[in-house]
Each structure stands twice: as C-alpha cells, then as structure tokens.
Amino acid sequence: MPCYYDLMLYSHCGTKIVKQASNTMWGFLMSKEFNSKLTDLKRYFFNESDVRKFIDFLMTKAEVIAPQTKGEQSFAYNVVKNSSDVALEYPRTMQPLKKYFLPPVETLLTFKMSSNEFSEEVIEAKKQIFFGIHSYEMKGIHLLDYCLGKGKPESNYLKRRANALIIGISYKPDKYHFATSLGIDIEETEGFALFFEKVTEGYLVFVVTDEGAELIKDFSGGKPIDEQVNIEELPQQAKIKYHYNRLPQVFEHVYNSRVWDHFADKCVGCGTCNLLCPTCYCFDVRDEVGLNADDGKRQRFWDGCMLNSFAEVAGGENFRNKLAARMRHRLYRKFSYITKSSGELHCVGCGRCTRYCPADISIVEIINSLIEDYSAQQKKQAV
Amino acid sequence: MSAQAVKSKPKVAFFDFTSCEGCQLNKLNFENELLDILELVDIVEFREAMDDKADAYDIAFIEGSISTPTCIERIHDIRRRSKVLVALGQCAVTGGINAMKNSHPSEWVQETVYGKDKYLFPSIPAQPVSAIVKVDYEVRGCPMSAPEYLHVFKSLVLGRKPEPPDYAVCVECKLKENECVLEKGMFCLGPITRAGCDALCPSNGQYCTGCRGMVSNINEKGAVDMLKKHGFSTEEAIKRMKLFNTNEVDKQISWGRK
Amino acid sequence: MLTNTTEMKDLYYPLMSDIIKVEQLTATEKRFEIALPDNQVLNHKPGQFVEVSLFGFGEAPISISSSPTKTPAFDLTVRRTGKLTDKMHELAVGSKLGIRGPFGNGFDVDFMKGKDMLFIAGGIGLAPLKSLIDYTIDKRKDFGRIIIVYGTKHPSEILFSNEIEKWKNLKDVEFHMTVDRPDDNWKGNIGVITTLIPPLEINVENTIASIVGPPIMYKFVLMSLNSKRIPDENIYMSLERRMKCGVGKCGHCQINHSYVCQDGPVYHYPKAKELEEAV
C-alpha cells in the first residue's frame, strides 16, 4: 500500500489546516506523495466569497471558462457570465476541456468551387482563463500537447494552448475516478498557474507559476499564510489492481485475450467513450458547401475509433468491423501504442467513459480483467 | 451534373406513395433556404405545391412506402424516367411506421382498416422503395430530417455522393453535452439509431424513438441487454424498436430472443 | 536520400496544380498527369502517396504511379470508388486540383540496389507498384533481373496496356500475367495470381519481392513466397487504409501502433509482421 495511508492517520483531523511536523519520522514517507507537490509553494487562504470575487477579478482580465451546472445533475465547461454560476465542487464535466483547444468542428480552410481558390483560416487566439480544472483534466491536456505537437505540429491547437491560463482545483473522487491509480494525484499542479485546495473553511490557494503569482498579487482578497499545511488524501474509489507502471507490460500479453469479446458483447458501439475522452483526438475531414453551390468550408470533425465506419475504406473494406477489435484498439491507444513513443499512459482516470456508457461497461473492470488474464498467464508459465 | 449542369438547372420531381406526406410538407418549411433551392433547380412535379408535369427527371424524390400493387407499377415507371432516385423519409427508406402492419396477418389488417370493403383496397406488406427499384440515395427520419435533406440536395446539385452519417445519435447528444435520457429512466434508442437529426428529441427532453433506422453492423444482443439494464424487457425493447423499423428488426437475427 | 521539398504553409493547405493529361485506362480507371505550379518537382520516392483535393468533394490519398525519374510532372492512377474519385473522372486537361504531399514511407530503393526485383501486383495494386517498376527500368543497370507478376479479375481490368506491351518487348524484363475469369479473346494464363509464383525460377537470397494488391491477396501471396523460401527481409508490401490527414494525426489509418500515412504505405515485411492487424 502506498504510504499516504499512514499520512492520513496523521492528518486525521479531516481537511483542516494542520501544521506539518517537520523532521519527523514521517518525512521520508512523503517523498513522492501529494503534499510534496505543494510543500514549497507560496500560499493564500480564500474563503468562498474570496473565490467568487477572484473569479470576478479574472473576468476583468480575460474570458473565463469554468465548470457550471448543466441539466439536472451534470456539469459542463462554459464561459462564465456570473461568478456565482461556477461550480467549485463537481465530480467531472461531461465534455473534457479539449473542446476549447481542439473544437468538435473546426474549419481548416474556406474555398470557392467555381474559381478553385481557397483562403487560409486564420484563427483568433485570444487569451482565455480556465478556472476550476481537475488534475486529471490537466494531464489530459498535457497528453494532447504531446500528440498534436509532435511530428508535424497542429498550429491552431498550439496557438490556443499558448493563450490559455489554467487554474486548478482539488476534487472529491466518486466511484468512477481512478486517476490516482494511474499516478495522477489530486494535488498534481503541473500546468496550473494557481491551485485551489478545498479545506473546511474555504480554499488554500497555492501559487504554482510566476504568472499565477502576478495574478494573485493584483487581487485584493484572500490572505497570505506561512504555515506548512497538510491535506487529507481522499482515496479514489475505483482501483486498478496493478501499479500503473506495469500496465504497458500487461498490454504486451493480452492482445488475444478473451476479455475483449466478453466486454464487446455488451458494447453497442455508440462511441460515447471516444466522444467524451480527454485524450481522444481522432478526426474526420469533410467539405461542406453552401446553398449557392459555390462557397464552402473544409472542416474537421471529432471522430471515434469505436464507430463502425472509422476504419472503412472507399472500396468498402472495414479493417476493424468487429466491436472487440475496435474496443481493443481504443484501449491499446490509451495503454500501449502511443505509450511506446511518449512513455506515458494516455488514459487519465477521469472515469467519463464508464460514467456515461449506456451499456455500463467499466474501463477499470476491463483493465482489471486484463490484469487477471495476464497474471493467470504468468502463473501458468511459472508452473 | 457538373457546375455547368447547375446553370441548366436539374429537373426535380417529388412523388408520394403510402405516407402522411409530412416529409413533403416539411420541405416547404425551409423558409430561409427555399428560395436558394429554387435558384438551383427546376421543380417539375410537386403535388403539395403545384400541378405541372414532366416526362423525365434528373432527380426524383420518393416519399412513402410501397404498400399496394399499383404502387409497384408506379414506382417502376418513375424509376425508368429518373436519372437519380432518392428515398425521402423513413417510410420510403425502411417502410417506416407503415411496416408495423407487416407483423399482423394481412386479412386482419385490411378488415380492421376497411371493414367489409376490404376487397376494394388490395394491400401488400409495406416495403421500402429499395425493395422494388434501385434507390440511389436516402434521406432518413420521420419526418425526414431537414439538415440531411439539404445535405443530400446540395450534394446532388453539385454532382457528388451524399454522405449521411452512419453513427449513433449518442454521438450528437454527447457533442451537445445532453444529459442521457436513459439515465433519467426513459426509454431511448439513441445508442443504436443513426444520427443526422442533431439529436433533436433527446435535446428537447424526449427519448429517441429510432425514427432514422439503425446504424450498420449493430450488436443486437448488446442493444437488447443494454435496454434490459435500464429496466425494459426484451419484448418491450423489440416492440419499441419495431415502431419505425419492423422490416429491419424482423430481418435481423434473434435479437437475444430464444 | 530524397526529401520532401514541397513547401506548404500549413499542414492542410494544398498546392493548386494542373491536370496536363488524362488517359482512360479501363472503364473505371483513369491516369492523370499532374503538374505542380511553377514547375516544382514533387520529389517523391516510389511507393509514396499524395492527398488529392477537390474543393467541395474533399480529399483522398492516391498513390503516385510514376517514377521520380520522370519529372517534373507525375502520374496518379485513379479508380472511381467514391465522392472525390467520381468527380475526378469528370475532369479534363486544364482542370485544377489540390495536392498535398508526398507523404509516407516509400520503397527502400537503396536497399534494393543490385538485387533481382520481383514485382507482384494484383488489380489496381499495379498503379503504386508501377512507380517502382519504372524506377528500376529507368535505372536498369542498378538492378538485377526484373520479374513482373500481374493478376486481375478480368481482361477488361488490365491497367497500363501500353506499358505492359513495352515491358513484354524488353529483353531484360520478364513479364507474367493471369486473369481470374477470361473473356473470349483471352489467350494467356487463367487463375489467381498465386498460380504464377511457384513456377518462377529465382535466386531467393538475392531477390526482393514487392507486393501491392487488394487486402485479401497478401495472405496468399505471402504464403506462396514463404513456400519458395524467400526470406522475410526480402519482402516489401504496400498497405491500404482509410486516411484523412496524411500527417499522422487523424488516426484513421492506424494499424496497431503504426500509422500507415507515416510508417507506410510501404512496409518492410518483418515490420508488417509485428502488426497483428496488418494482413
């Protein structure tokens, strides 16, 4: 068991700020764990009204995008009109943040059919502030940065990313989150300018980058604090049976596993898992023409490898016409194929694919079944 | 048809078979686009809006299913006179709602509808147009979906193959971040129904009735099991699927039934 | 090493080019000769492809069927199979189309130098393979024997009949062909392409086999090469997949961890063998 369970005992007083005992026997246990990421950071204390005021303040600087309620029990990132609309505690939004960097529909060029001319689509890259983003979401963006930045970089995506300032927030895991199982702690701050940590009385605001420091310097609310603090680690409920760094190894051995057929039997191929995944970025390109039958746009649209026609060629051959093959491809893209070049897992444990699957297929169950299969193979070989 | 053909304006005709003519009326509702459409084509036959006739057509749009012996003669005749034939709306594409009668003995159906005059109205099982003649393209939905109709229409005027979507309504729902209606306890065929309607019903608090037919290469057992998980029996699931897709459902293998 | 010198302002902007010649090859296939603007040279490797675009009709990956030794224009051989290719067939000399590329991995011509060359083409597969065939014929002294094996379903589907006549007449080119179904005038071999492979007398250690054909063909041709004891390292193949972007982003062409638009379409067989979804 990772050592933070011991730490939890220490910080048993819940989410209250407690002074950290320095140079105690616990020190060595904290080497990689959550609080080391926050230990050296400058911090402020905000009560909730400070937080709302801070969002108002951000809105004077740029367009602010944050999670807000949608429907009866869902959340979605949207442009903030009122700071009071911002959801500070939410399990996850339906669509990931990537919709702002790689929009579901994006014009690549506009053309005129009669003259065979096209114009380049110059995108406006305005400053945007994203507030209230969870660590797994940030990781998802980092992974997209890798996929869209390598080889021939996607300039539109990179322009939008360069203009984004992202502010993180902690979250209370529900039964679908498994980010910590993949090594992404709730308090992982990489990529954020500031990080808001929920404590009982309000929020601890950690200054992560110089840009974050600038922002908070200009803001009149909140109060700086000096104490070292310790924060309760909330265990994630969904757990992967192996340490995440063993998963690529597992995937080397389960290509022909029966697990794929078992789960594909339940799958209806609706593509929800692709459409909501923070690290999926496959797309289709189509030309749309206006009603004057002359002016048109070449656009790209999000696509998904779970959809039947994804690997179908013009001649009619479908190279992945079985759901099991498509499901396997989707998971291998997350845990093996891209991992070979990036060295990272391309799943962030947000739990969206499981939470929204109409057929109740759980990605954690798939992975754990694959692990079982792998471990059975290993035992057999040992005998 | 090339750009030049656009100048000479393709002749377009609309015909209705067994249907409510709702799809045709739906076309007249494109107030914003109607004039642009009329710029592009000559409409030579359209019973809902005019009386002119012509002998040959560049594009014939067919609404309704084939459900009487005379329908068969008529559709063959139209096919002979048309360069491109498009099935318009779900009745024409799959037999639609009309095909519900196919699950019952035809004697009983005729008697129920026409009573003792049943012999005056000969009837056959409701078939899609494609069961009788070659259909080049389809516009699905009940009523046909307006954006898809415009897409097909523009494509034909430009001389290119229309490419209507063959993925599930779920895709469109997720893009709109709609809350899942299955989760709200409603019945929904969105996960296996072809998109192209921009998830109209689920976006407005309704469930998907499957009016655009099913996606290709579907996992029948998975679909029934999914609905079971949400509290619907196999029989109910199949009954509801058959509302618009009797011919498709009856053609599919067991659907998880014994 | 040939490199891509075609300049593009961004990933997705095509270079507007001219169709300078159109030739009807069969009922469904045409050859187009394309000239890039300002006499630019495509600088491709045999086996590479370009993304062809027609505004309003989209883009499609098409392999280059001429050798880089022929400049500055290049050839595309196109079968009507969809929206874009249907429209392309309506285009005449003087029409414009957009070109992006060349993309992907071509045949390793340096590795092939000095070797005997065995070409195995099924159907439309002759189009991409012709870029390499022409290359070896143009650089004849760099290569050993040239053996071309070509199969189609029916005599009416035979591509490049003029070139085939030339190849037949060349003393240093061996040409074998078969059709699955003959017509009344057919006097040649009848049967699937694999029937032509066993009788070939070749020095397996020094022969490079390059295969392009429909997906179904590979398994059988590979079996037949295997029983001839051609080492895997001496086999190259070109694979077809759905493609959209051509630049390793859109995901459509992926075979396991490999992007066909980047690592393919031409694969060295030992590499393709690692990809479970390849054949």
Side-chain angles (χ1 to χ4, degrees), chain A residues 150 154 284 320 333 337, chain C residues 12 244 249 254 256:
Chain A
K150 73 169 175 178
E154 279 276 344
D284 191 11
R320 245 176 259 118
R333 275 195 51 117
Y337 296 156
Chain C
Y12 304 111
K244 283 289 178 178
K249 302 278 184 233
Q254 202 177 2
N256 300 110

Side-chain angles (χ1 to χ4, degrees), chain A residues 108-109 111-113 116-122 147-156 255-256 281-287 289 298 300 303 309-315 317 319-320 325 328-329 333 337 340, chain C residues 4 9-16 53-59 81-83 95-97 100 102-103 215-216 240-259 262 276-278:
Chain A
L108 301 175
L109 52 87
F111 56 78
K112 215 170 178 50
M113 288 177 75
N116 247 321
E117 284 165 347
F118 71 91
S119 6
E120 299 162 11
E121 190 67 12
V122 182
C147 294
L148 296 168
K150 73 169 175 178
K152 295 173 178 162
E154 279 276 344
S155 52
N156 283 5
Y255 192 82
N256 294 311
Y281 61 94
C282 290
F283 58 85
D284 191 11
V285 182
R286 297 197 291 272
D287 285 5
V289 184
R298 176 159 296 164
R300 73 158 152 222
D303 206 337
S309 57
F310 187 80
E312 204 170 48
V313 294
E317 177 111 7
F319 290 96
R320 245 176 259 118
R328 174 171 67 195
H329 186 73
R333 275 195 51 117
Y337 296 156
K340 286 190 172 121
Chain C
N4 174 8
K9 285 193 71 179
D10 204 337
L11 285 183
Y12 304 111
Y13 299 151
L15 212 48
M16 297 314 293
S53 91
L54 282 174
F55 296 131
F57 298 84
E59 276 194 307
T81 49
K83 191 167 66 174
S95 307
K96 292 242 181 230
L97 41 72
R100 290 193 299 131
F103 292 128
I216 181 86
E240 182 200 13
R241 286 298 184 273
R242 184 167 170 209
M243 278 179 201
K244 283 289 178 178
C245 72
V247 291
K249 302 278 184 233
C250 81
H252 283 276
C253 68
Q254 202 177 2
I255 303 178
N256 300 110
H257 62 81
S258 179
Y259 278 85
Q262 305 287 292
E276 311 232 10
E277 293 179 323

Side-chain angles (χ1 to χ4, degrees), chain A residues 225-333:
Chain A
I225 48 172
D226 287 330
E227 298 104 298
Q228 286 287 302
V229 287
N230 210 341
I231 294 141
E232 184 192 13
E233 173 75 346
L234 298 160
Q236 308 246 331
Q237 295 186 14
K239 278 219 162 56
I240 289 177
K241 287 179 184 168
Y242 273 7
H243 188 272
Y244 59 88
N245 67 15
R246 292 178 73 185
L247 294 179
Q249 171 71 8
V250 171
F251 275 77
E252 288 298 309
H253 293 86
V254 293
Y255 192 82
N256 294 311
S257 168
R258 266 181 290 177
V259 169
W260 304 115
D261 286 323
H262 173 75
F263 285 95
D265 267 357
K266 304 181 192 176
C267 177
V268 292
C270 69
T272 292
C273 46
N274 285 140
L275 268 293
L276 300 183
C277 179
T279 66
C280 274
Y281 61 94
C282 290
F283 58 85
D284 191 11
V285 182
R286 297 197 291 272
D287 285 5
E288 300 289 336
V289 184
L291 264 176
N292 65 357
D294 194 16
D295 293 305
K297 293 172 185 170
R298 176 159 296 164
Q299 293 177 307
R300 73 158 152 222
F301 299 80
W302 285 357
D303 206 337
C305 60
M306 289 303 295
L307 302 173
N308 181 51
S309 57
F310 187 80
E312 204 170 48
V313 294
E317 177 111 7
N318 187 346
F319 290 96
R320 245 176 259 118
N321 70 343
K322 290 227 158 51
L323 273 167
R326 300 210 286 277
M327 186 181 281
R328 174 171 67 195
H329 186 73
R330 180 171 81 88
L331 267 88
Y332 267 81
R333 275 195 51 117

Side-chain angles (χ1 to χ4, degrees), chain B residues 12-246:
Chain B
V12 174
F14 297 90
F15 300 95
D16 54 309
F17 284 75
T18 307
S19 67
C20 68
E21 301 191 8
C23 294
Q24 296 210 45
L25 284 172
N26 205 10
K27 270 193 305 289
L28 299 175
N29 291 338
F30 298 149
E31 283 145 5
N32 295 330
E33 295 90 1
L34 197 58
L35 290 176
D36 289 323
I37 291 174
L38 293 173
E39 279 290 302
L40 295 173
V41 295
D42 273 332
I43 295 179
V44 294
E45 207 157 315
F46 191 176
R47 201 168 65 84
E48 292 285 353
M50 58 192 287
D51 327 301
D52 291 353
K53 298 260 177 203
D55 297 330
Y57 318 107
D58 291 304
I59 308 168
F61 287 99
I62 311 295
E63 184 194 354
S65 69
I66 307 298
S67 73
T68 68
T70 49
C71 286
I72 296 180
E73 279 170 44
R74 207 172 135 232
I75 191 67
H76 276 300
D77 176 53
I78 295 168
R79 177 72 261 193
R80 271 193 294 275
R81 292 187 285 133
S82 311
K83 279 188 197 148
V84 173
L85 188 142
V86 183
L88 203 69
Q90 207 60 14
C91 294
V93 176
T94 62
I97 282 211
N98 301 341
M100 276 202 297
K101 74 166 184 171
N102 301 355
S103 300
H104 304 280
S106 63
E107 280 286 306
W108 176 84
V109 172
Q110 278 178 276
E111 209 164 288
T112 310
V113 179
Y114 300 112
K116 63 177 171 25
D117 293 332
K118 64 179 177 181
Y119 296 109
L120 298 176
F121 303 95
S123 171
I124 57 171
Q127 298 299 310
V129 176
S130 61
I132 315 295
V133 296
K134 182 176 173 263
V135 169
D136 299 298
Y137 306 111
E138 299 169 342
V139 181
R140 287 167 175 263
C142 178
M144 63 153 195
S145 82
E148 184 161 306
Y149 170 73
L150 285 176
H151 169 77
V152 170
F153 193 88
K154 276 187 296 192
S155 297
L156 293 178
V157 169
L158 292 169
R160 64 173 203 186
K161 268 187 197 167
E163 287 177 337
D166 185 5
Y167 49 74
V169 173
C170 280
V171 169
E172 291 174 341
C173 254
K174 295 304 173 294
L175 288 176
K176 296 172 105 175
E177 298 189 67
N178 287 337
E179 283 189 305
C180 182
V181 299
L182 276 170
E183 275 182 32
K184 293 180 179 173
M186 282 192 224
F187 182 86
C188 187
L189 287 177
I192 54 165
T193 299
R194 276 186 204 231
C197 52
D198 207 17
L200 188 65
C201 297
S203 305
N204 288 286
Q206 291 298 315
Y207 62 88
C208 173
T209 54
C211 82
R212 297 178 44 75
M214 292 168 196
V215 292
S216 305
N217 197 9
I218 130 175
N219 172 4
E220 304 92 4
K221 189 179 170 300
V224 171
D225 287 349
M226 171 195 75
L227 289 166
K228 269 199 216 160
K229 273 189 197 111
H230 290 277
F232 304 94
S233 69
T234 308
E235 286 317 310
E236 177 167 14
I238 289 170
K239 203 172 93 188
R240 294 207 191 216
M241 282 179 200
K242 285 174 93 169
L243 179 62
F244 288 98
N245 300 293
T246 303

